[in-house]
Amino acid sequence: QVQLVESGGGLVQAGGSLRLSCAASGRTFSRYAMGWFRQAPGKEREFVAAISWSGGSTSYADSVKGRFTISRDNAKNTVFLQMNSLKVEDTAVYYCAARRSPYANTDKVSYDYWGQGTQVTVSS
């Protein structure tokens, strides 16, 4: 069992930056690929970024490529999402997810554990 707790969300102006963190419980964190997803009001949850167990492979949604960076610190059981050049359309609840596989994946159904989410609001 893995428990995930997100933090770092908040209100920011367009063009600003935020750094989300996701702290994971359990000794096997380094064996899991991790992902970030987001869900805006009235929309389905969508893929944002994913990272392999080692951090050597990453994947991004086209909408965030070049602006967001996913990283992880296996010694601290934590995954990060650095978000720069934020846009109003990035407003959503952001969820961290863990996958019982070393390989990153963009499909939300392939993830086994989810955090409760953190709100990110970008104002114009």
Side-chain angles (χ1 to χ4, degrees):
Q1 188 74 11
V2 175
Q3 291 186 326
L4 305 172
V5 179
E6 302 96 336
S7 62
L11 173 64
V12 64
Q13 285 192 328
S17 298
L18 281 174
R19 189 191 197 204
L20 304 184
S21 298
C22 173
S25 65
R27 301 178 185 178
T28 58
F29 173 77
S30 62
R31 300 180 187 177
Y32 292 83
M34 302 294 295
W36 286 97
F37 294 78
R38 66 186 182 187
Q39 188 166 17
K43 294 187 177 181
E44 289 192 3
R45 193 169 298 188
E46 65 175 5
F47 169 74
V48 175
I51 189 166
S52 63
W53 69 277
S54 67
S57 176
T58 58
S59 180
Y60 296 93
D62 287 343
S63 58
V64 307
K65 204 170 291 183
R67 299 188 297 122
F68 291 9
T69 303
I70 188 171
S71 61
R72 65 189 296 162
D73 184 339
N74 286 344
K76 296 183 178 180
N77 282 13
T78 304
V79 63
F80 305 97
L81 185 68
Q82 178 67 44
M83 305 186 297
N84 298 329
S85 303
L86 281 161
K87 303 177 180 180
V88 172
E89 52 263 43
D90 294 320
T91 295
V93 177
Y94 282 71
Y95 296 91
C96 172
R99 183 169 185 260
R100 287 194 301 259
S101 166
Y103 305 110
N105 194 291
T106 64
D107 190 348
K108 59 182 178 288
V109 301
S110 71
Y111 286 80
D112 302 291
Y113 305 102
W114 292 84
Q116 292 191 325
T118 185
Q119 177 71 47
V120 171
T121 303
V122 185
S123 64
S124 59

